[in-house]
Amino acid sequence: AEDPQPGDKFACDAIETVIVPRTRDLGSFEVRRALPSAQRQMVGPFIFFDQMGPSEFLLGSGMDVRPHPHIGLSTVTYLFDGEIMHRDSLGTELPIRPGELNWMTAGRGITHSERFERARREGGPMHAIQSWVALPTAEEETEPHFVHHPEGDLPLGEEPGVWLRLLAGEAYGLRSKVKTHSPLFYVHATLET
């Protein structure tokens, strides 16, 4: 098929919706929220999709997301660069680093915080995606739990011009160890120019 031409909605039927994320400046970095949007509330079970950064923290700077509650969904955090310290009401306390994935299922309720402690100590980059995955109705009141997945849990694939890491689900002949509550796939892909 022909590549889509800007402004010509009939050039390619493969593009259903174009979403331009809203940007919010949090002082130390920007967050771009693609979901929900006026054009699309959800994509599959993904109900929120936020890109944090890319940005560079100066020594002694950074910010913290104070303790806050979640219910009825899972938050999924994946880092490209930097480090975030995760703490939650289950007693979990560990950093997430590039190439790793945190999957926190709130279920009937959990409280957590995200702190940029390393950035304050050393300065440095920050770039991450945090998505929120709605739980199926029957599982909205499930017990809360948290699972950290190191890089080794996330299979890699490569084809000419494409590198990918499968974060969750099954796609492109790969299967992730990450347990999900609904059928989905979530991929970090890098394409050649």
Side-chain angles (χ1 to χ4, degrees), residues 1-14:
E2 294 291 317
D3 286 342
Q5 299 300 312
D8 181 1
K9 71 178 195 171
F10 299 107
C12 181
D13 293 336

Side-chain angles (χ1 to χ4, degrees), residues 5-190:
Q5 299 300 312
D8 181 1
K9 71 178 195 171
F10 299 107
C12 181
D13 293 336
I15 298 175
E16 180 180 310
T17 306
V18 174
I19 298 171
V20 177
R22 300 178 312 280
T23 301
R24 185 166 177 210
D25 187 345
L26 299 180
S28 300
F29 65 95
E30 291 184 334
V31 174
R32 288 167 202 77
R33 177 162 284 171
L35 289 177
S37 73
Q39 299 89 347
R40 180 69 78 134
Q41 295 301 303
M42 295 175 73
V43 173
F46 293 92
I47 192 163
F48 280 86
F49 191 89
D50 294 345
Q51 176 187 351
M52 300 180 278
S55 63
E56 187 77 24
F57 288 119
L58 299 175
L59 182 67
S61 69
M63 64 168 287
D64 294 326
V65 178
R66 296 181 197 181
H68 58 282
H70 289 278
I71 60 169
L73 51 75
S74 295
T75 60
V76 183
T77 307
Y78 178 74
L79 264 64
F80 301 104
D81 220 345
E83 180 180 287
I84 299 173
M85 178 59 77
H86 169 95
R87 292 182 179 89
D88 63 40
S89 55
L90 300 174
T92 309
E93 180 177 340
L94 87 153
I96 180 172
R97 296 184 177 105
E100 301 175 343
L101 183 87
N102 283 356
W103 193 290
M104 183 183 78
T105 299
R108 62 182 177 83
I110 194 168
T111 301
H112 77 126
S113 66
E114 296 141 317
R115 301 189 182 270
F116 299 84
E117 297 171 358
R118 181 173 164 195
R120 261 192 305 287
R121 282 191 319 268
E122 304 170 12
M126 173 53 59
H127 191 194
I129 297 286
Q130 187 170 76
S131 54
W132 298 11
V133 180
L135 292 173
T137 304
E139 297 186 46
E140 285 180 347
E141 292 292 320
T142 193
E143 287 293 317
H145 64 276
F146 175 88
V147 182
H148 174 80
H149 294 278
E151 283 185 90
D153 281 0
L154 310 173
L156 300 174
E158 202 163 340
E159 294 182 24
V162 180
W163 173 93
L164 57 88
R165 174 177 283 135
L166 183 63
L167 304 181
E170 194 172 335
Y172 307 104
L174 302 171
R175 176 178 284 164
S176 174
K177 295 179 181 180
V178 176
K179 181 186 180 307
T180 65
H181 294 269
S182 54
L184 62 85
F185 70 93
Y186 191 8
V187 176
H188 168 196
T190 302

